Amino acid sequence: MHCKRLLLGIIWILGTLQAMGQSATQTLKMPGLQQSVEIIRDQWGVSHIYAKNDHDLFFAQGYVAATDRLFQLELWRRQATGTVAEWLGPSELKRDLGTRLFKFRQNLDQEFAHYHPRGKLIITAYTAGVNARIAEVRKDTSKLSFEFKLLKSVPGFWTPEVVISRHQGLIANLTSELSFGRQVHVMGEEKTRELNWFHPTRTPASEPKLTLEKGVDGAALMQDILGLYNAFRAPLRFKKPGSDVGKTFDFLDWYETEKEYVGSNNWTLSGEKSQSHFPMLANDPHRTQSTPSLRYWIHLNAPGWNVVGAGEPTLPGVSIGHNDYGAWGLTISGSDCEDLYVYDLNPQNPNQYRYKGQWVAMKIVTDTIPVKGQQPQVVQLKYTRHGPVVFEDAKANKAYAVRAGWMDVGCAPYLASLRMNQSKSWDEFREACSFARLPSLNMIWADRKGHIGWQVSTLAPIRPNWSGLVPVPGDGRFEWEGYLPIQQLPHLSDPAKGFIASANSNLTSPDYQPRTALGWEWSTPYRTDRLEEVLGSSKRFNLSDFSQLQNDVLSIPARTLVPLLKFAFPSNEESIQKAVSLLQNWDFRLNPESIEAAIYVEWENQLRDYVYEKAVPKAAQAHFRKLSTKVLIDYLLTPPPEVFGSTPLETRNQVVTTALQEALTVLTKRLGKDSKNWAYGQTTNKHITITHAFSDWVSPAMQQKINLGPIARGGNAETINNSGNTLNQTHGASFRILVDTENWDKTLGVNSPGQSENPEDPHYRDLFDKWNRGEYFPVYFNKEKIKSVADRTTLLTP
């Protein structure tokens, strides 16, 4: 009897183990594959794909991305194809019209080949993989995510044209150009230059020209000239049927916020400065904080490919990461590949514009836009020799068109990363960067052979006779003279100081030529300055040091402004005296638990409000929304009479005191009378709450599943850990990567709030708290290590 029970027990155990093995590896029949593909998903939701050929590798990448992020992909498809109105109704018709106006309409084979010699195969395979998942959920709609069910829709199939869309590229210089033109009209060139801090320049003679040329009427620029452009560039919002979403969307306010906060940090360090004696690299792109995250980790392995990192789930390849040879990262660089042209129209024929003394016919394309609940809208899309016509002023016989370099071949954002993914050396990586045209990037590199490098990759149109900062006539006097070759764009390799760091501020000399081929607008210098300060020390660095630096919250502006308090007017108020004492003995770190940080940030806000009101003419404030921290500090350190009056130093000192009093009043109202409760990071002060786009559509119980936070935060827009200047953090680094090239299995990463968009998936929010604490997960590269942390394994078979 005992032996029988033992035998039955062994049989049961073996059966259980067999069942466990079967559940751990799922086999799926996948029509369209050429050979089998193994996908190992690790504990943090990262899929490691092992394929035997290029087609299957990218087919599987598309399939996996669509499995985790299908609704995100459907948003992309709708926006890329100009079919949002078909989905959401006539309120999105203007968006679709703008999308179709700016659609890529050149040779697709040439376009695909730009990104990789096998670009057409890769993009087509990726699209097929996405469609394989779409076919599954259309066949079994129970697999649809809750967003599709709320909208009563199913995802549409992809075409390769969707992949190469430019609609989400960081390309909105044109909005600034129109704003600058309006500012010049309202307050003149000198004041516009003073408030905007165009640089780099060395002398007044090298300041950019902002003259509105004959043929450009400043008053006419106040019209809604970029309405169509702004419509397709704006974020998509979901209004619940029958509800009111509140005030009208303010595109300029959204754009200024994006312009201020969208950026990144990256740095690369030589082996001479690392503890491992191998080069190291770090990158943390700053974009909108959302669920799901913008970026998506993936590991791609096939003959000729072995790369891990992240990109946008809508694109094949990896835009930030490493392969067997080197690692790379990116930040946004300053560039300007858009111009707004103003034309005289023929009074006898409004479809003709004057160019070099002759009337030239516009090209007209007829298109049809499907609209939910209505008949399809037939539209006419007009083009000049420079580009799409975005506005016509019939009364003045004027037209406005956009020259957008990114409508040329090879400008799909990040897609040229496919070439970078196979780079084996710094020289090969630089060559790959020459195919990356959008957005304008600071690309950095570190390899196991000991080399580090920096290369600007961008479209850099050469303007021989104007700055590109204000609209110009389209009559033939203002034409680009081609693009600057990548060999002439800023770059650096193996510098003597042992590191390269970028954080969206200018890294080029004022003497760089041709000057007009680079942009004039850059981020404030403080994040870059802090990186230089830390990395320039004599110590050797390890990954722990890098993680601390990515999460660093020391504020250089605070360190610059707090000393002004010694000039503050004496005050008998105990609260003022205590606040001054706290700030003067503070370490200038915007830690969540810091009371001083809360006081400083509100004091800076009050100072900014005062200077803005005094420095920016009332008539210009609608067109100049935000004063940069650099300009604020310049005004406060050297107070000009036109802002601070005939006794500028005395007035500045009084303002310093008054602003501190106002800050204390604001904090008392917000956080209570007891300053012991004024910790900077808390749910009623600096924090992060991520609200799902469909939060208003669902029950409170579902809201608890899909919304994240609030969680106390630190930092602000000027710290390396960039959390923006709003109380609720809306932008910053959700994706981070740290690499020591000594051993690829040392790589660390994070991706908040998680890899999946499905709130029922544990990988929907599993990285949110880890990200907030400044922690990382190991990004293993060796297959045996990956197996040791496997969550599940899937085998795709033809």
Side-chain angles (χ1 to χ4, degrees):
M1 181 66 71
H2 174 75
C3 292
K4 185 176 181 181
R5 283 199 301 267
L6 179 61
L7 181 60
L8 290 173
I10 291 172
I11 293 172
W12 179 84
I13 290 171
L14 291 174
T16 301
L17 290 173
Q18 184 180 17
M20 288 174 64
Q22 289 173 347
S23 64
T25 301
Q26 180 185 22
T27 300
L28 296 177
K29 191 79 171 175
M30 194 63 54
L33 281 181
Q34 297 173 2
Q35 296 172 280
S36 62
V37 176
E38 182 183 24
I39 303 170
I40 304 172
R41 188 165 87 158
D42 67 27
Q43 294 174 11
W44 304 281
V46 179
S47 291
H48 304 259
I49 301 174
Y50 295 87
K52 298 180 178 66
N53 59 73
D54 287 5
H55 172 275
D56 291 352
L57 180 67
F58 292 100
F59 181 103
Q61 186 185 7
Y63 178 80
V64 166
T67 301
D68 279 335
R69 302 284 189 93
L70 186 54
F71 189 75
Q72 191 177 31
L73 266 63
E74 177 67 0
L75 292 184
W76 176 285
R77 186 190 72 82
R78 290 282 182 178
Q79 290 177 278
T81 56
T83 54
V84 180
E86 180 185 40
W87 203 27
L88 301 180
S91 63
E92 296 295 340
L93 182 59
K94 195 173 182 181
R95 178 192 300 276
D96 288 348
L97 181 55
T99 299
R100 289 162 187 254
L101 191 61
F102 284 89
K103 180 181 177 181
F104 178 79
R105 297 180 183 275
Q106 299 187 49
N107 184 282
L108 283 176
D109 286 338
Q110 186 181 359
E111 168 79 356
F112 297 149
H114 177 91
Y115 305 111
H116 193 276
R118 296 184 298 283
K120 185 173 183 179
L121 179 152
I122 291 170
I123 293 170
T124 303
Y126 185 84
T127 302
V130 171
N131 286 338
R133 178 58 182 174
I134 291 172
E136 286 181 356
V137 299
R138 287 172 67 106
K139 184 177 181 180
D140 180 1
T141 55
S142 68
K143 295 179 180 179
L144 285 171
S145 64
F146 78 97
E147 298 96 334
F148 286 109
K149 294 174 182 177
L150 288 172
L151 292 172
K152 299 178 181 179
S153 68
V154 294
F157 290 107
W158 278 44
T159 63
E161 289 87 345
V162 175
V163 176
I164 55 91
S165 171
R166 284 87 156 124
H167 73 278
Q168 286 190 336
L170 300 176
I171 47 178
N173 167 264
L174 195 70
T175 304
S176 293
E177 188 172 315
L178 181 57
S179 291
F180 296 147
R182 291 168 172 173
Q183 291 171 34
V184 169
H185 174 68
V186 173
M187 59 185 178
E189 288 188 57
E190 184 177 349
K191 190 68 173 179
T192 300
R193 276 192 290 266
E194 175 187 319
L195 289 171
N196 284 284
W197 184 48
F198 299 120
H199 67 288
T201 61
R202 196 179 295 282
T203 65
S206 62
E207 292 281 349
K209 184 180 179 183
L210 301 177
T211 305
L212 295 180
E213 302 285 349
K214 183 179 178 181
V216 179
D217 179 9
L221 296 179
M222 301 301 171
Q223 300 174 90
D224 187 23
I225 292 169
L226 295 183
L228 288 175
Y229 175 91
N230 293 344
F232 98 93
R233 299 286 300 135
L236 187 58
R237 300 183 304 157
F238 292 93
K239 178 183 176 182
K240 185 178 180 181
S243 70
D244 184 1
V245 293
K247 65 179 181 180
T248 303
F249 178 72
D250 187 332
F251 179 87
L252 188 57
D253 186 66
W254 170 82
Y255 168 71
E256 291 290 344
T257 300
E258 290 285 297
K259 184 177 172 181
E260 181 179 10
Y261 299 146
V262 168
S264 310
N265 304 313
N266 70 19
W267 62 91
T268 183
L269 190 81
S270 78
E272 298 299 317
K273 291 182 69 67
S274 72
Q275 288 184 10
S276 69
H277 296 269
F278 280 78
M280 298 173 63
L281 179 144
N283 194 191
D284 56 301
H286 305 163
R287 299 289 295 274
T288 301
Q289 295 286 336
S290 62
T291 180
S293 171
L294 171 68
R295 288 187 167 84
Y296 182 74
W297 278 92
I298 198 77
H299 180 186
L300 305 173
N301 183 291
W305 302 87
N306 193 19
V307 55
V308 67
E312 297 184 12
T314 49
L315 303 172
V318 169
S319 59
I320 302 166
H322 73 79
N323 58 21
D324 289 301
Y325 306 93
W328 58 91
L330 57 84
T331 67
I332 297 299
S333 180
S335 182
D336 176 4
C337 63
E338 296 175 308
D339 279 316
L340 183 62
Y341 285 96
V342 186
Y343 308 86
D344 290 325
L345 295 180
N346 185 348
Q348 306 304 316
N349 182 355
N351 290 329
Q352 291 181 334
Y353 62 98
R354 184 172 292 280
Y355 184 76
K356 292 188 175 181
Q358 298 186 3
W359 295 117
V360 179
M362 295 180 186
K363 178 182 178 181
I364 300 176
V365 175
T366 300
D367 204 347
T368 303
I369 303 176
V371 183
K372 181 180 180 181
Q374 293 186 2
Q375 291 296 313
Q377 296 288 311
V378 178
V379 296
Q380 287 192 331
L381 311 175
K382 299 182 180 181
Y383 299 85
T384 70
R385 65 183 294 111
H386 297 115
V389 176
V390 290
F391 186 77
E392 295 178 80
D393 184 349
K395 291 183 180 179
N397 289 317
K398 294 281 188 179
Y400 298 77
V402 176
R403 178 155 193 190
W406 48 267
M407 294 182 71
D408 290 354
V409 167
C411 293
Y414 305 112
L415 198 50
S417 298
L418 289 165
R419 292 179 182 267
M420 300 176 196
N421 293 176
Q422 294 184 302
S423 299
K424 297 180 181 179
S425 67
W426 165 240
D427 290 337
E428 286 188 14
F429 183 74
R430 272 198 80 200
E431 176 64 20
C433 286
S434 69
F435 292 88
R437 314 182 95 186
L438 191 75
S440 176
L441 296 172
N442 295 296
M443 299 300 307
I444 61 168
W445 169 266
D447 65 38
R448 286 182 52 81
K449 292 184 178 180
H451 299 294
I452 63 173
W454 161 63
Q455 174 69 60
V456 171
S457 64
T458 186
L459 278 179
I462 301 170
R463 299 176 177 85
N465 58 333
W466 84 107
S467 66
L469 287 173
V470 294
V472 292
D475 56 13
R477 290 178 289 152
F478 300 91
E479 298 292 345
W480 295 356
E481 292 185 349
Y483 298 119
L484 199 65
I486 191 169
Q487 291 79 10
Q488 296 180 42
L489 287 167
H491 61 278
L492 181 67
S493 61
D494 299 326
K497 67 180 180 180
F499 69 91
I500 303 167
S502 75
N504 317 117
S505 61
N506 172 58
L507 300 180
T508 59
S509 166
D511 300 321
Y512 179 86
Q513 294 297 331
R515 179 62 191 85
T516 57
L518 289 188
W520 295 93
E521 297 181 272
W522 309 81
S523 291
T524 51
Y526 308 113
R527 285 184 289 118
T528 302
D529 289 349
R530 177 60 176 160
L531 290 173
E532 294 267 350
E533 181 176 272
V534 174
L535 296 172
S537 68
S538 59
K539 71 174 292 182
R540 283 185 176 270
F541 292 85
N542 57 35
L543 289 175
S544 177
D545 298 318
F546 272 26
S547 70
Q548 290 179 48
L549 189 51
Q550 278 192 335
N551 290 277
D552 184 83
V553 291
L554 186 138
S555 168
I556 287 182
R559 199 168 65 190
T560 306
L561 291 176
V562 166
L564 293 179
L565 288 170
K566 66 183 177 183
F567 303 118
F569 274 41
S571 174
N572 294 324
E573 293 188 37
E574 183 181 352
S575 60
I576 292 285
Q577 294 174 351
K578 181 179 178 181
V580 170
S581 178
L582 283 171
L583 291 176
Q584 288 180 333
N585 291 283
W586 175 43
D587 62 3
F588 310 115
R589 297 180 187 275
L590 304 182
N591 289 313
E593 66 274 11
S594 171
I595 293 170
E596 296 91 337
I599 296 172
Y600 168 75
V601 168
E602 193 53 50
W603 178 54
E604 184 190 291
N605 289 341
Q606 297 300 321
L607 289 171
R608 193 187 307 272
D609 289 347
Y610 175 88
V611 174
Y612 177 88
E613 288 299 324
K614 293 294 184 180
V616 184
K618 294 290 184 185
Q621 289 182 3
H623 313 297
F624 183 91
R625 301 291 185 90
K626 296 182 184 295
L627 193 71
S628 81
T629 306
K630 170 65 167 61
V631 174
L632 170 66
I633 289 176
D634 287 348
Y635 274 128
L636 290 170
L637 294 183
T638 311
E642 61 269 24
V643 175
F644 291 92
S646 58
T647 56
L649 286 173
E650 289 81 355
T651 303
R652 188 275 312 275
N653 295 343
Q654 179 63 65
V655 169
V656 164
T657 311
T658 304
L660 185 57
Q661 178 63 71
E662 288 296 321
L664 298 179
T665 300
V666 170
L667 290 172
T668 299
K669 290 180 180 178
R670 184 187 303 146
L671 305 176
K673 294 181 180 180
D674 189 349
S675 61
K676 292 180 181 178
N677 297 323
W678 289 5
Y680 179 51
Q682 54 179 297
T683 57
T684 50
N685 205 62
K686 187 68 174 183
H687 67 283
I688 183 168
T689 298
I690 300 179
T691 304
H692 194 283
F694 284 87
S695 181
D696 290 340
W697 295 57
V698 299
S699 68
M702 188 61 172
Q703 288 176 348
Q704 290 291 316
K705 286 187 176 183
I706 64 175
N707 296 334
L708 297 111
I711 294 179
R713 295 289 288 155
N716 72 356
E718 306 294 358
T719 59
I720 293 175
N721 188 354
N722 180 354
S723 58
N725 286 338
T726 51
L727 290 181
N728 181 30
Q729 179 182 345
T730 58
H731 293 71
S734 57
F735 163 84
R736 293 188 175 116
I737 186 172
L738 304 174
V739 180
D740 187 334
T741 64
E742 178 193 31
N743 183 342
W744 299 123
D745 288 318
K746 285 185 175 182
T747 301
L748 300 174
V750 75
N751 190 31
S752 175
Q755 284 280 98
S756 174
E757 70 177 8
N758 177 9
E760 304 300 330
D761 189 320
H763 298 301
Y764 177 79
R765 60 167 69 225
D766 59 327
L767 300 176
F768 186 52
D769 289 334
K770 183 183 289 289
W771 163 83
N772 180 59
R773 294 191 300 268
E775 298 176 359
Y776 302 76
F777 61 81
V779 184
Y780 291 132
F781 202 50
N782 177 280
K783 190 171 184 179
E784 292 307 311
K785 284 188 176 292
I786 293 165
K787 287 181 177 179
S788 73
V789 293
D791 176 43
R792 70 181 185 214
T793 300
T794 304
L795 186 66
L796 305 182
T797 61

